[in-house]
């Protein structure tokens, strides 16, 4: 009985009274335990926790916002839906739509204003030309040529480059177009920036880079180029090694060349027809876009061997159509290369003996029949070797043999003799056939 009472003591009071009445009804004896049973103190129970679809919400520890079950209502805190980040409030979506419409309206207003400005400018030009008397002086070509410094650049090109008559003529034609265009602009005629993108084809050492530098300076003098500098780029400078690397490299080189000339040497290496996944195609597309949209601030010149450039243009017809000036650089003749050697020696303050020129011409004629001949670059290498031979001869004569007491004159330090060139000829004559190209 004590055990039963102990068990009943854990029940609510109403239940205990009901049970006690049923047990002792009819015998008239009072229940053996107090009328007000002792209720044990409540046991602390942690608040219930509900977990629904990854959202865990604990019951509120303080009154407020309670549902009929005595717990706080569930709140959405995320979930495992991968598209949950795409959800947004309706008010946020409406605000974004309003911003987009506002931006579109502002862009349309700007375009309309720009078109209105162009119309007003054109009307002013027309009125200026109608009011201009027929005797209005436009200036002479010579004034523009000398005032802008164009003639100085052309004269410098004549001095620096021996031969290349067709190339110089083409450069002068481009300069004439720019001068006349500027004269027309002064009188108010409608003008547009001509296509100045260029293609230089020819063998190595024919002066392509030199002409590009001169063209950049001419464009700067005429106001068609902000800076007039030349940035030389190859495939390694433009094409990346992995996905996403090409575009930043190409854009960085374009950024460096803005306001001047971007000379892409051996441009045909940008495109690899045997590999459809080659990254060079991306670089070409960026260049084409810049050539079309930024032609007033950047001149792109591509250079390389003529046969390979023709094949390159056949693969990329868009490049061919965007280039308006194609200049072919012919190979130098032996007499022209001898003159180039004289110019190089003069620039380095050396004197070539009169009897040394025929020996050097003999060397050039022999070297031109060997592979990998590079025109002016071969001459430069030959001059470097001749200077070294002259230094060895002078050192042996005065430092080792102690001629003239070891004292040499200024002429001894400047003179390049026939013997210095004859050593180059002997290297070709005495070398094996397989190693003559290194002579």
């Amino acid at each position: 009985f004590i055990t039963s009472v102990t068990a009943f003591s854990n029940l609510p009071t109403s239940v205990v009274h009901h049970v006690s009445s049923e047990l002792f009804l009819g015998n008239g004896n009072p229940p053996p335990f107090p009328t007000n049973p002792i209720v044990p103190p409540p046991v602390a129970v942690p608040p219930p926790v509900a977990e629904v679809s990854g959202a865990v919400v604990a019951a509120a520890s303080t009154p407020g916002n309670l549902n009929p079950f005595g717990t706080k209502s569930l709140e959405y805190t995320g979930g495992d839906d991968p598209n949950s980040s795409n959800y947004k409030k309706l008010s946020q979506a409406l605000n974004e739509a309003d911003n987009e419409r506002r931006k579109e309206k502002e862009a349309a207003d700007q375009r309309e204003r720009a078109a209105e400005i162009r119309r007003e400018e054109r009307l002013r030009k027309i009125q200026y030309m109608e009011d201009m008397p027929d005797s209005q002086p436009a200036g002479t070509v010579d004034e523009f040529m000398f005032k802008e410094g164009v003639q100085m650049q052309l004269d410098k090109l004549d001095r620096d480059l021996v031969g290349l008559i067709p190339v110089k003529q083409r450069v002068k034609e481009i300069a004439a177009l720019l001068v006349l265009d500027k004269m027309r602009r002064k009188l108010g005629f409608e003008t547009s920036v001509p296509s100045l993108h260029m293609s230089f084809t020819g063998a190595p050492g024919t002066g392509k880079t030199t002409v590009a530098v001169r063209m950049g300076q001419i464009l700067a003098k005429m106001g068609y180029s902000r800076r007039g500098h030349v940035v030389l780029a190859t495939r390694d400078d433009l094409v990346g090694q992995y996905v996403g690397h090409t575009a930043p490299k190409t854009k960085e080189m374009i950024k460096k060349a803005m306001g001047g000339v971007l000379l892409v040497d051996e441009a045909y290496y940008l495109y690899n027809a045997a590999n459809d996944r080659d990254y060079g195609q991306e670089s070409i597309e960026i260049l084409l876009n810049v050539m079309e949209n930024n032609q007033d601030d950047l001149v792109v010149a591509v250079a390389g061997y003529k046969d390979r450039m023709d094949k390159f243009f056949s693969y990329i017809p868009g490049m061919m159509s965007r280039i308006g000036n194609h200049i072919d650089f012919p190979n130098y003749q032996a007499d022209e290369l001898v003159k180039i050697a004289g110019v190089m020696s003069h620039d380095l303050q050396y004197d070539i003996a009169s009897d040394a020129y025929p020996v050097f011409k003999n060397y050039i004629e022999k070297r031109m029949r060997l592979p990998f001949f590079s025109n002016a670059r071969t001459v430069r290498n030959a001059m470097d070797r001749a200077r070294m031979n002259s230094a060895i001869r002078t050192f042996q004569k005065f430092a080792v043999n102690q001629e003239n007491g070891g004292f040499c004159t200024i002429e001894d330090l400047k003179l390049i003799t026939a013997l210095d060139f004859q050593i180059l000829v002997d290297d070709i004559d005495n070398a094996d056939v397989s190693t003559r190209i290194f002579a």
Side-chain angles (χ1 to χ4, degrees), residues 17-297:
H17 281 294
H18 176 72
V19 174
S20 63
S21 300
E22 292 294 332
L23 290 176
F24 300 101
L25 184 63
N27 57 13
N29 295 324
F33 45 83
T35 305
N36 295 324
I38 300 174
V39 180
V43 180
V45 180
V49 176
E51 181 175 354
V52 180
S53 300
V56 180
V57 181
S61 60
T62 59
N65 194 25
L66 298 178
N67 57 26
F69 300 99
T71 60
K72 189 177 181 180
S73 298
L74 297 180
E75 294 181 359
Y76 180 75
T77 60
D80 55 0
D81 186 358
N83 296 320
S84 60
S85 60
N86 297 329
Y87 303 149
K88 64 179 65 174
K89 294 182 179 179
L90 178 60
S91 59
Q92 181 182 356
L94 293 176
N95 290 334
E96 292 180 355
D98 291 340
N99 292 333
E100 291 296 330
R101 284 193 294 270
R102 179 177 54 82
K103 292 180 180 179
E104 292 177 359
K105 185 177 184 305
E106 291 178 354
D109 293 342
Q110 291 177 358
R111 290 193 297 269
E112 184 177 354
R113 178 56 182 162
E116 183 180 354
I117 293 175
R118 288 194 296 269
R119 287 194 297 268
E120 293 176 355
E121 182 66 24
R122 182 175 179 82
L123 292 175
R124 282 196 297 268
K125 286 184 177 180
I126 295 174
Q127 188 64 36
Y128 173 77
M129 296 182 67
E130 290 178 352
D131 298 339
M132 181 177 59
D134 296 337
S135 60
Q136 175 72 23
T140 64
V141 175
D142 290 339
E143 289 177 359
F144 279 87
M145 293 288 287
F146 285 99
K147 180 180 178 181
E148 305 294 343
V150 177
Q151 189 62 48
M152 181 182 66
Q153 295 298 328
L154 294 177
D155 294 341
K156 192 174 182 180
L157 184 65
D158 286 334
R159 291 194 304 269
D160 293 346
L161 288 183
V162 176
L164 297 181
I165 303 301
V167 175
K168 294 178 181 178
Q169 182 63 30
R170 182 60 172 164
V171 173
K172 291 179 180 179
E173 292 172 357
I174 297 175
L177 171 63
L178 300 181
V179 169
L180 269 296
D181 184 73
K182 196 160 189 178
M183 294 177 67
R184 286 171 53 87
R185 187 183 306 174
K186 181 180 179 180
L187 292 176
F189 285 99
E190 190 68 27
T191 60
S192 62
V193 179
S195 176
L196 297 174
H197 301 308
M198 305 177 190
S199 170
F200 298 154
T201 56
T206 51
K208 296 186 291 294
T209 304
T210 302
V211 172
V213 172
R214 293 291 173 266
M215 283 303 305
Q217 294 171 349
I218 291 175
L219 295 177
K221 295 291 185 181
M222 294 298 300
Y224 288 92
S225 177
R226 289 186 290 110
R227 300 167 61 187
H229 67 298
V230 177
V231 176
L232 180 63
T234 60
R235 176 185 168 89
D236 292 338
D237 300 315
L238 300 172
V239 181
Q241 302 298 322
Y242 50 85
V243 176
H245 191 208
T246 298
K249 292 187 68 174
T250 303
K251 292 178 181 178
E252 180 65 23
M253 293 303 297
I254 292 174
K255 183 178 178 180
K256 292 180 181 179
M258 275 296 178
V261 179
L262 176 62
L263 177 60
V264 184
D265 196 16
E266 296 182 322
Y268 34 76
Y269 287 129
L270 292 178
Y271 182 78
N272 186 1
N275 186 4
D276 294 336
R277 302 181 63 183
D278 184 70
Y279 301 135
Q281 181 65 34
E282 182 180 2
S283 179
I284 293 174
E285 292 175 356
I286 295 175
L287 287 175
L288 292 177
N289 185 49
V290 172
M291 292 171 67
E292 185 68 26
N293 299 328
N294 299 90
Q295 60 178 346
D296 57 341
D297 197 34

Side-chain angles (χ1 to χ4, degrees), residues 423-438:
I423 296 175
L424 305 182
V425 178
D426 295 340
D427 287 344
I428 294 179
D429 294 338
N430 300 329
D432 296 334
V433 176
S434 59
T435 60
R436 281 182 179 175
I437 59 174
F438 303 106

